[in-house]
Amino acid sequence: MDKAPLLVLRTGCCFTDSQRGPSANQHRDRIIHHSREAVAKQITATYNVVNGNMRTYVWKECYAHKLMMVMILLLVLLCPTVCQAHSINCSIYDDPLPIPHAFYQPGELVIGEIVSQVFFLYNNLSFTEPPTQILIDEPVSVPKNYQHILALAFAVKEINENPNILSNASLGFHILNSYYTAKMTYKAALSLHSTQQRFVPNFKCHNQNKLITIIGGCISEISANVAIISAIHKTPQLTYGSFSALQNDKMLYPFLYQMVPNEAHQHIGVIRLFQHFKWTWVGLLAVDDDKGDRFLQTMVPILSPNGNCYAFIIRVPKWNYVDEMIDLLIQQQKNYEILMERKCNVMYVYGEPPSFQILRMLLFLAPFLALPPLVKVWVVTSHWDFASHSVQKVWDIQAFHGTISFTVHSNQPLGFRTFTDTIQPSWAKGDGFIQDFWEQAFSCSLMMSKQQEKDGKKTCTGEENLESLSGVLFEMNMTGHSYNVYNAVYAMAHALNAIYKSHVKRKRLEERDRLAFQRVQPWQVHHFLRWITFNNSAGDTVRFDDNGELVTGFDVTNWVTFPNGSLVRVKVGRLQPQAPSGKELTLNDEQIVWHKSFNQVLPVSVCNDNCYPGYSKKKKEGEKFCCYDCAPCPEGMISHQKDADACVNCPEEQCPNKEQTKCIPKDVNYLSYKEDLGIILTILAISFCLITSLVLGIFMKYKDTPIVKANNRTLTYILLISLLLCFLCSLLFIGHPGKLICLLRQTAFGIIFSVALSSVLAKTITVVLAFMATKPGSGMRRWVGKRMADSIVLSSSLIQVGICTLWLSTSPPFPDMDMYSLDREIIVECNDGSVFMFYCVLGYMGSLAIVSFVVAFLARKLPDSFNEAKFITFSMLVFCIVWLSFVPTYLSTKGKYMVAVEVFSILSSSAGLLGCIFFPKCYIILLRPELNNRDQLIIRRK
């Protein structure tokens, strides 16, 4: 026997040399002997052989037995039989009840694996009657999980045939079944650490397996149970299934490596999936255990910050016993009604295969329970692989058509498909899984009993084709979990190869290399495994991070089912946890197939109908933020997307369209020559110009007639020319404002109009002075003449010129764009610069008009046949009315209409002067020439 380390305990389980004596040795041997007998008796008592078939065993559910087993297990683990540097004989006992489902291939270094390919159906435990036997006396196979075994065998075969890796050592494997129970998982883990066909954990004997690592399990509970045992023995463990985030404690499991990334990454991926498809109202289904609690504690808080809400939370029971099935289905009917909520079309399900079977059974039995079909989008995590038990292979899975899952990244190693094609019942000696797998997958029997012959069960030929099996039973392509097993074997092989290379560097002799491998302890592999990096045959890089997690991502898989039970997985995207935040998920939407009831239209899962563009969300009192009303955007604001949180303002140069769904450029607003109003005003201005020119021509033609001479021809010409310029000046207000135009508009209008009004004032004063000068002895005669009139026109005009010059030198007008006065238009205008100066110009013109009106009014009854005072009075009255009405109208309008008001005021006031003063004279000159003579003038004076 080899020497093995021994712990020195206070209980007296182990003795030093000074303590070693006949009585001490006898006492120690008695403890060992009785402990072993207790272990053997306990294991024997907790198994039951059914129908004499040694392949089927049951671990009875007895808590007293469990407690005793734990105590004995601790005694066995903590009290080894030999002290360091001392040895005793190992009394080897055969394992009285070995695990029947096992697969062993010898090798100098052995890789252990714990799979979950077979389980039993039990009734519930009751303390009112003796524990019952299993409900079905045959194991129930999960055919798809048999690929986990094949993946390990294929990887070991490749490595043993590869001269470039572990050329001086051969790999073997020892695969045991967990039966989905904790007690059998512990038994399997301890058996892997024991001698082949022996159950003596923590004993080191000459023919013991050289276990170098353990691969397993496929669900987190099994992985955690194995991790407890592997941590005690310091054996590296590589899990190929999920492992709870909170369980991943390196202090508790320092030798644990995960071939699946942390499940927290999947939750982030699901959030990105919801955001991508704008699914804001989702249902959460979580297994009813501590892992489901941790899932909800993690998932629920991250929904709201990312714009999602849960419509409901349903706890899916963890199915352990068959006789609970009916009660569970009755309880789940109420949950089924919740699942039928019309608005929630997306279900995020968290749970491992046992809980998946409850959900699947409920959906399968729904038609028999008069429940309507459930049409939803199922979003599931990597725990689910849509594996059917052998008893479920005829069950319809159409309810899961179009499911989206985050599956473990997988690829296809070269040669694996060819390897699976060679699998037959006799393909390998010692495969304890193949019989149940083959018989239940193909519904036949390899070893016919008389009872089976009576039942008419067909015989397996052994030539059945695995490719003919439906996807829920077996897949020819390597699945994600199998790919993890494959990579785990290669990771261990590369770590061992690194150990070999380190020995070569130390210049060990070649003949001692094999001996060096035999002396490698499992804990020594840990150092090399942590830093291993390699590319596998499929081209993927395999390495671990600081937490012992495989650095990889998830495949986004779309599950397509068919009525015949076949299933196809389609990769439609990738989740890369290492990508920048917000870019972890990439999807190809066009490849996704939805449930047939959605007619290949993207499913909608929202609390209420979307708020369309032009509306924004309005919170409903007492409801989650995902449930809201839709309120139209306020005037001047838009929302250009569905479910906008708030309406927004457009840029200042844009405005909302009629539907308030987008911003459009504002119309440019100015008085243009191309629009109707601009055309009308232009025609009026030109027409009045022509009329004024005609009047000026008439007066010039008849300049020598009495009526023209009597009214001061020079002032008449100045007035007509200024009126002509006033009409032309109005054209400066029409068209796009420019810098020069803005400088000339108001100043030219003010100066020209002041000249016109000054001429009218000079005419009026001249008439008054002429009448006063005719009186005997009047001293006004010296004021009558051209000099007086010219002085009035020049002085009055120069005052306005001074005002305009001051205006232009201080705050001149300039082109401007008013974005805010009109909601939908940009007003292109001439900014007056100084409003005060503008009103000073208008005020001065008004004062000239008022003075002219007052003087003309007083002189209207003077005895003069050609007296213009009455006409000037009326013209000034029109002028004042026009400009008094101009001010409030001008202030109350905006944009081009403000300019139009000013142009209209200019034209109307100028036309008033032209018509009131000159039309009567033109009438006499053209139509009543007999009145236009000196004799008539003398008669009228008399």
Side-chain angles (χ1 to χ4, degrees):
M1 299 296 177
D2 293 336
K3 296 180 180 180
L6 175 67
L7 298 178
V8 179
L9 303 178
R10 295 181 180 179
T11 58
C13 296
C14 143
F15 305 90
T16 63
D17 287 339
S18 61
Q19 297 171 323
R20 188 179 300 276
S23 59
N25 290 335
Q26 292 173 4
H27 179 60
R28 181 200 61 209
D29 293 339
R30 282 197 300 272
I31 291 176
I32 295 170
H33 177 73
H34 291 311
S35 298
R36 288 175 177 165
E37 286 187 349
V39 172
K41 289 179 181 179
Q42 178 62 26
I43 297 174
T44 304
T46 52
Y47 283 96
N48 187 24
V49 181
V50 179
N51 295 329
N53 185 353
M54 293 301 293
R55 294 189 304 105
T56 307
Y57 304 93
V58 180
W59 189 291
K60 291 185 178 180
E61 291 284 357
C62 178
Y63 292 122
H65 287 180
K66 284 185 177 180
L67 181 59
M68 185 183 299
M69 183 60 193
V70 171
M71 295 175 63
I72 295 175
L73 178 62
L74 290 175
L75 181 63
V76 171
L77 293 176
L78 298 178
C79 297
T81 59
V82 291
C83 295
Q84 188 172 5
H86 298 278
S87 63
I88 66 167
N89 292 329
C90 289
S91 300
I92 303 301
Y93 293 95
D94 290 342
D95 190 346
L97 294 173
I99 296 176
H101 292 91
F103 189 1
Y104 178 75
Q105 177 179 302
E108 294 171 304
L109 299 172
V110 175
I111 295 178
E113 182 182 23
I114 296 180
V115 298
S116 301
Q117 204 263 327
V118 178
F119 70 98
F120 290 95
L121 298 175
Y122 301 93
N123 275 336
N124 198 1
L125 178 67
S126 173
F127 290 97
T128 60
E129 57 185 16
T132 59
Q133 306 301 323
I134 56 175
L135 186 65
I136 300 176
D137 62 352
E138 290 192 6
V140 179
S141 175
V142 186
K144 181 177 280 193
N145 289 359
Y146 185 67
Q147 197 189 85
H148 305 165
I149 299 169
L150 297 180
L152 177 65
F154 174 69
V156 169
K157 177 178 178 292
E158 277 192 335
I159 292 170
N160 287 335
E161 294 175 354
N162 187 352
N164 297 322
I165 183 170
L166 295 182
S167 58
N168 291 319
S170 63
L171 281 184
F173 57 80
H174 191 189
I175 305 174
L176 296 175
N177 194 60
S178 71
Y179 300 95
Y180 283 107
T181 62
K183 50 187 172 291
M184 294 304 294
T185 302
Y186 285 126
K187 174 62 169 63
L190 290 171
S191 296
L192 290 176
H193 288 88
S194 301
T195 301
Q196 177 67 12
Q197 301 299 326
R198 304 289 187 269
F199 186 66
V200 281
N202 209 41
F203 284 73
K204 185 175 182 181
C205 299
H206 67 281
N207 61 342
Q208 185 175 358
N209 300 332
K210 186 60 178 180
L211 183 71
I212 204 68
T213 188
I214 296 179
I215 298 175
C218 66
I219 62 175
S220 59
E221 183 177 352
I222 293 175
S223 299
N225 294 336
V226 174
I228 294 174
I229 304 301
S230 62
I232 294 174
H233 292 82
K234 299 182 179 180
T235 303
Q237 177 191 353
L238 295 94
T239 67
Y240 64 90
S242 61
F243 198 73
S244 176
L246 293 181
Q247 289 178 336
N248 187 15
D249 189 338
K250 300 308 289 184
M251 296 293 294
L252 293 176
Y253 312 114
F255 296 92
L256 179 70
Y257 295 86
Q258 293 179 241
M259 303 305 294
V260 179
N262 195 307
E263 66 180 23
H265 298 315
Q266 297 184 65
H267 303 330
I268 298 299
V270 170
I271 291 294
R272 299 291 179 257
L273 182 73
F274 292 163
Q275 292 175 332
H276 179 80
F277 290 118
K278 296 181 173 57
W279 292 332
T280 59
W281 192 243
V282 298
L284 298 180
L285 283 75
V287 62
D288 193 9
D289 60 8
D290 56 342
K291 292 186 291 295
D293 293 337
R294 287 194 293 268
F295 161 73
L296 294 176
Q297 291 170 3
T298 302
M299 192 68 192
V300 171
I302 64 176
L303 285 174
S304 297
N306 290 282
N308 303 105
C309 302
Y310 64 89
F312 50 79
I313 296 176
I314 293 179
R315 304 306 297 270
V316 180
K318 186 176 181 181
W319 181 26
N320 289 322
Y321 305 105
V322 175
D323 55 353
E324 292 179 347
M325 181 180 67
I326 303 300
D327 293 335
L328 290 175
L329 290 177
I330 294 174
Q331 295 171 8
Q332 296 306 308
Q333 274 191 304
K334 179 181 290 186
N335 288 337
Y336 193 90
E337 295 174 0
I338 297 175
L339 289 172
M340 287 300 298
E341 184 185 345
R342 180 182 59 84
K343 295 179 180 179
C344 184
N345 286 321
V346 177
M347 306 293 168
Y348 181 28
V349 187
Y350 178 87
E352 295 178 318
S355 56
F356 169 60
Q357 301 307 326
I358 289 291
L359 180 60
R360 187 175 175 191
M361 182 173 292
L362 181 64
L363 296 180
F364 173 71
L365 296 178
F368 303 100
L369 301 175
L371 296 174
L374 192 62
V375 179
K376 302 293 179 181
V377 177
W378 301 94
V379 179
V380 299
T381 56
S382 63
H383 308 93
W384 289 27
D385 208 16
F386 285 89
S388 287
H389 301 160
S390 55
V391 296
Q392 297 173 322
K393 55 188 173 185
V394 296
W395 288 16
D396 183 23
I397 59 171
Q398 289 298 295
F400 296 102
H401 180 66
T403 296
I404 296 177
S405 69
F406 290 85
T407 56
V408 180
H409 172 65
S410 63
N411 216 327
Q412 301 306 312
L414 297 175
F416 181 75
R417 184 68 178 263
T418 304
F419 176 76
T420 55
D421 288 336
T422 64
I423 301 301
Q424 293 180 343
S426 59
W427 79 280
K429 183 180 178 181
D431 185 354
F433 297 91
I434 188 67
Q435 182 176 346
D436 289 325
F437 162 74
W438 203 271
E439 290 181 346
Q440 297 186 28
F442 293 106
S443 301
C444 60
S445 177
L446 290 170
M447 301 173 61
M448 292 288 286
S449 65
K450 293 182 179 180
Q451 182 62 39
Q452 289 173 330
E453 290 178 359
K454 291 180 181 180
D455 295 340
K457 194 170 185 180
K458 69 176 183 178
T459 304
C460 298
T461 65
E463 301 296 329
E464 289 82 4
N465 189 358
L466 291 177
E467 198 166 357
S468 65
L469 295 176
S470 63
V472 294
L473 291 178
F474 191 81
E475 295 184 58
M476 298 299 290
N477 291 330
M478 187 174 281
T479 64
H481 288 123
S482 300
Y483 190 61
N484 288 343
V485 174
Y486 177 82
N487 285 331
V489 175
Y490 265 92
M492 182 54 61
H494 279 277
L496 292 170
N497 200 54
I499 294 176
Y500 168 75
K501 290 181 179 180
S502 69
H503 290 322
V504 172
K505 289 181 180 179
R506 295 174 187 175
K507 299 182 179 180
R508 286 180 175 261
L509 296 178
E510 184 175 352
E511 59 271 12
R512 298 183 60 189
D513 287 344
R514 188 176 300 273
L515 181 62
F517 265 122
Q518 292 177 355
R519 292 178 177 176
V520 171
Q521 298 299 318
W523 60 267
Q524 294 176 310
V525 183
H526 175 63
H527 172 75
F528 294 90
L529 191 59
R530 283 187 303 174
W531 310 110
I532 203 70
T533 299
F534 65 94
N535 292 331
N536 63 16
S537 62
D540 289 333
T541 301
V542 178
R543 67 181 181 90
F544 297 98
D545 63 14
D546 294 337
N547 295 321
E549 297 175 6
L550 188 68
V551 180
T552 185
F554 295 90
D555 294 328
V556 183
T557 302
N558 185 213
W559 297 85
V560 181
T561 63
F562 299 93
N564 63 357
S566 59
L567 179 146
V568 176
R569 60 171 83 202
V570 181
K571 292 183 182 180
V572 296
R574 190 76 190 273
L575 175 64
Q576 291 285 8
Q578 297 81 23
S581 179
K583 298 181 179 180
E584 302 93 339
L585 182 67
T586 55
L587 284 175
N588 187 347
D589 297 2
E590 297 179 355
Q591 285 187 309
I592 298 178
V593 176
W594 304 111
H595 194 280
K596 296 176 182 177
S597 300
F598 294 116
N599 296 320
Q600 204 50 32
V601 176
L602 176 65
V604 176
S605 189
V606 293
C607 180
N608 46 260
D609 293 335
N610 296 111
C611 290
Y612 289 97
Y615 293 82
S616 63
K617 295 189 291 188
K618 181 180 179 182
K619 180 175 174 57
K620 284 184 178 179
E621 293 297 329
E623 298 283 348
K624 295 179 181 177
F625 74 91
C626 295
C627 301
Y628 46 80
D629 292 321
C630 297
C633 289
E635 186 68 27
M637 303 181 75
I638 66 149
S639 64
H640 56 81
Q641 61 185 8
K642 288 184 178 180
D643 294 331
D645 293 325
C647 299
V648 296
N649 289 308
C650 290
E652 61 180 12
E653 70 276 3
Q654 295 180 335
C655 66
N657 62 349
K658 185 178 180 180
E659 294 79 16
Q660 293 182 272
T661 58
K662 62 180 180 179
C663 293
I664 57 176
K666 289 182 177 180
D667 294 332
V668 178
N669 183 300
Y670 65 91
L671 189 58
S672 171
Y673 290 106
K674 297 180 181 180
E675 57 183 299
D676 295 341
L677 183 58
I679 293 173
I680 293 173
L681 293 175
T682 302
I683 293 174
L684 287 176
I686 294 174
S687 300
F688 285 126
C689 286
L690 294 176
I691 294 173
T692 305
S693 300
L694 180 60
V695 172
L696 180 60
I698 292 173
F699 272 68
M700 292 180 68
K701 182 179 180 180
Y702 296 96
K703 62 182 179 179
D704 295 327
T705 60
I707 197 170
V708 175
K709 289 181 178 180
N711 292 284
N712 195 327
R713 284 181 300 185
T714 303
L715 290 178
T716 300
Y717 294 154
I718 293 174
L719 178 57
L720 285 172
I721 292 172
S722 61
L723 289 176
L724 177 62
L725 293 176
C726 283
F727 291 128
L728 292 174
C729 174
S730 64
L731 297 177
L732 293 174
F733 292 83
I734 303 174
H736 193 283
K739 185 175 182 180
L740 180 61
I741 295 296
C742 289
L743 291 174
L744 293 178
R745 266 187 185 181
Q746 304 293 0
T747 53
F749 153 68
I751 294 172
I752 294 171
F753 237 108
S754 296
V755 172
L757 291 175
S758 300
S759 301
V760 173
L761 180 61
K763 274 179 168 289
T764 308
I765 294 176
T766 300
V767 171
V768 174
L769 291 177
F771 175 75
M772 295 175 64
T774 57
K775 293 182 179 181
S778 175
M780 303 299 294
R781 187 180 297 271
R782 67 179 179 272
W783 296 99
V784 178
K786 291 182 179 181
R787 184 178 299 176
M788 179 63 181
D790 293 341
S791 299
I792 294 173
V793 172
L794 184 59
S795 59
S796 300
S797 300
L798 287 176
I799 294 174
Q800 186 70 290
V801 170
I803 295 174
C804 291
T805 302
L806 180 63
W807 183 6
L808 293 177
S809 61
T810 55
S811 298
F814 58 90
D816 194 13
M817 300 179 72
D818 184 357
M819 305 283 189
Y820 307 104
S821 296
L822 298 178
D823 294 332
R824 313 187 68 82
E825 295 177 311
I826 299 175
I827 300 175
V828 181
E829 61 181 2
C830 287
N831 191 309
D832 291 331
S834 173
V835 177
F836 174 75
M837 297 303 297
F838 171 68
Y839 284 106
C840 285
V841 171
L842 291 182
Y844 180 72
M845 289 191 299
S847 64
L848 289 178
I850 291 172
V851 172
S852 299
F853 172 74
V854 171
V855 174
F857 181 79
L858 296 175
R860 70 187 186 283
K861 294 183 178 180
L862 293 177
D864 188 353
S865 58
F866 296 104
N867 185 8
E868 293 181 301
K870 62 181 70 175
F871 302 119
I872 293 174
T873 301
F874 188 69
S875 65
M876 289 298 100
L877 181 62
V878 171
F879 183 90
C880 291
I881 292 174
V882 168
W883 287 102
L884 286 176
S885 61
F886 160 79
V887 175
T889 306
Y890 183 81
L891 296 176
S892 62
T893 55
K894 297 182 182 298
K896 60 185 177 182
Y897 299 105
M898 178 186 289
V899 178
V901 167
E902 187 170 0
V903 172
F904 179 78
S905 299
I906 294 172
L907 294 177
S908 57
S909 58
S910 300
L913 291 176
L914 180 64
C916 294
I917 296 176
F918 294 101
F919 281 2
K921 297 177 181 179
C922 290
Y923 173 76
I924 294 174
I925 294 172
L926 297 176
L927 300 178
R928 300 292 299 275
E930 68 276 8
L931 299 177
N932 188 12
N933 56 69
R934 185 176 179 80
D935 296 336
Q936 186 65 30
L937 177 61
I938 295 172
I939 295 173
R940 293 295 297 235
R941 285 181 176 178
K942 292 181 179 180

